[in-house]
Amino acid sequence: MSFSKDTKNELCGAEISSDPCRHSLAYGMVLFSKVFTPSTLSFTTECRPAALFYSNTLSSLTSAIVDITVTLTRKGKEKSLFTLSVPDTEDCGRIFDYFGHVRTAPSLRINRSNIEDEDSLACFLRGAFLVCGNVTDPEKDYHLEFVVPHMNLAKDLSKIISEIDVMPVEPNIVRRKGSYIIYIKGSDCIADMLTYMGAPMASLEIVQKKIYKSVRNKVNRRINSETANSNKTALAAAKQIKAIETIQKTQGLASLPDELRELAELRLENPEYNLRELGEALSIPISRSGVNHRLTRLMTIAEEITES
């Protein structure tokens, strides 16, 4: 099951604290249905709990009969498509009037009289998300959106979200395939939005995934850095060993000053050592810079031998 469906399942089980909240929730669902007119009301979803929740909420509040048609788009229950509709046109008109919409109005807009307070607004947005919302799996991206069929309705929804006092969110609007998309980016904003609508567990999962990805990225950066350093050390050691072997084959290591001979022998015996480890392994330990200076002298002697 997708993260978006899991989120909707959680929202369907969220507590509804009062009758005004139930009213606002139902309003959010019908207003953002695929079709909401005085003669037609329909909504399509792949989320079975959302379909049943829509049907039960609307029926209990308005006494309208809601039909549910199930279409199997693929094998398996997860690929079922649920289409909900109110077959009686008189019921559609009564629902339209119930929520205070004017049948002759030129466009569909949010009727704010159906939203009494902050709790009602949260339920209204919950209803809207259940019928037209999606949220991306936080493992892939941080993106939450509402897909709205009408421009003015999309603008109204964007405005009402931006006005939420307890949650500073600024949604954006784009047009896609004939619909208007109100979307929110950013893990913190999306987590706040889900909590606000009544899905704290989905919100917590986003936070957990963000922490996990942050830790994973830090570990990967550290591993990459350590690998790069190891490769750099190995390459440098190979050059140093080649230079020492040149000296050994031509004039012998015994020709070197004691401090260079000891380091040369140590390097040949321990090609994996870094400069610090080489310095600590000498009979008289020296610093990394001291080791580097002596190795440079060995490299210079080898170059002189090669050039002569």
Side-chain angles (χ1 to χ4, degrees):
M1 186 175 292
S2 70
F3 179 72
S4 193
K5 284 185 179 179
D6 287 341
T7 300
K8 289 183 179 182
N9 288 349
E10 183 181 359
L11 289 173
C12 289
E15 182 182 356
I16 303 173
S17 59
S18 65
D19 288 339
C21 285
R22 185 179 299 278
H23 177 93
S24 297
L25 176 65
Y27 181 54
M29 288 192 294
V30 299
L31 183 62
F32 291 95
S33 297
K34 183 178 180 181
V35 180
F36 178 48
T37 70
S39 59
T40 308
L41 178 56
S42 67
F43 156 58
T44 302
T45 182
E46 292 182 354
C47 182
R48 183 174 183 273
L52 295 176
F53 186 72
Y54 180 102
S55 175
N56 293 337
T57 302
L58 189 59
S59 296
S60 64
L61 196 64
T62 67
S63 299
I65 296 174
V66 180
D67 281 349
I68 302 179
T69 302
V70 182
T71 304
L72 294 177
T73 57
R74 293 184 187 177
K75 292 182 179 180
K77 295 181 180 180
E78 292 300 323
K79 297 302 178 182
S80 298
L81 197 64
F82 302 88
T83 301
L84 292 87
S85 62
V86 176
D88 192 321
T89 56
E90 290 187 3
D91 280 347
C92 291
R94 185 163 51 81
I95 293 170
F96 203 80
D97 296 338
Y98 175 78
F99 289 111
H101 284 272
V102 179
R103 301 191 184 196
T104 57
S107 64
L108 203 58
R109 309 293 295 265
I110 294 178
N111 180 358
R112 295 206 178 198
S113 65
N114 291 298
I115 306 169
E116 288 191 0
D117 52 25
E118 195 77 30
D119 290 340
S120 296
L121 175 56
C123 286
F124 170 76
L125 293 175
R126 184 192 308 173
F129 184 82
L130 285 172
V131 298
C132 73
N134 288 291
V135 59
T136 303
D137 187 335
E139 188 67 40
K140 301 175 181 177
D141 192 14
Y142 301 115
H143 180 91
L144 182 148
E145 66 180 28
F146 297 84
V147 183
V148 182
H150 308 294
M151 180 180 66
N152 287 332
L153 193 58
K155 289 181 177 179
D156 286 353
L157 180 59
S158 178
K159 188 172 188 299
I160 207 169
I161 291 174
S162 65
E163 291 174 352
I164 298 174
D165 292 333
V166 297
M167 186 181 62
V169 175
E170 288 297 333
N172 297 288
I173 301 178
V174 295
R175 191 169 185 181
R176 183 203 304 158
K177 297 180 181 180
S179 297
Y180 296 87
I181 314 300
I182 298 93
Y183 68 92
I184 298 171
K185 289 285 191 180
S187 59
D188 292 341
C189 290
I190 293 173
D192 288 345
M193 186 69 177
L194 292 178
T195 299
Y196 183 78
M197 291 190 298
M201 297 308 296
S203 175
L204 180 61
E205 185 170 348
I206 288 179
V207 174
Q208 290 174 333
K209 287 286 179 66
K210 181 181 179 181
I211 294 172
Y212 171 75
K213 286 196 288 186
S214 176
V215 172
R216 183 180 61 190
N217 290 338
K218 287 181 180 178
V219 170
N220 287 339
R221 283 196 297 270
R222 182 174 179 178
I223 291 173
N224 291 338
S225 176
E226 290 177 351
T227 300
N229 289 336
S230 296
N231 291 338
K232 184 178 179 181
T233 299
L235 181 60
K239 291 180 178 180
Q240 294 156 9
I241 290 171
K242 184 178 180 181
I244 293 168
E245 288 176 342
T246 298
I247 299 171
Q248 188 178 42
K249 290 176 183 179
T250 55
Q251 62 187 39
L253 298 183
S255 63
L256 297 171
D258 290 344
E259 72 274 10
L260 294 185
R261 178 184 52 77
E262 182 186 10
L263 179 59
E265 292 173 348
L266 188 63
R267 170 48 90 196
L268 290 176
E269 294 170 1
N270 302 280
E272 77 281 4
Y273 276 14
N274 57 34
L275 298 184
R276 179 183 58 79
E277 290 168 331
L278 285 172
E280 291 175 349
L282 292 169
S283 57
I284 301 177
I286 60 175
S287 66
R288 291 176 71 256
S289 61
V291 172
N292 185 60
H293 176 69
R294 292 184 185 181
L295 288 171
T296 301
R297 289 170 62 191
L298 288 169
M299 298 282 284
T300 301
I301 293 171
E303 288 174 6
E304 291 174 349
I305 292 172
T306 302
E307 292 173 356
S308 62

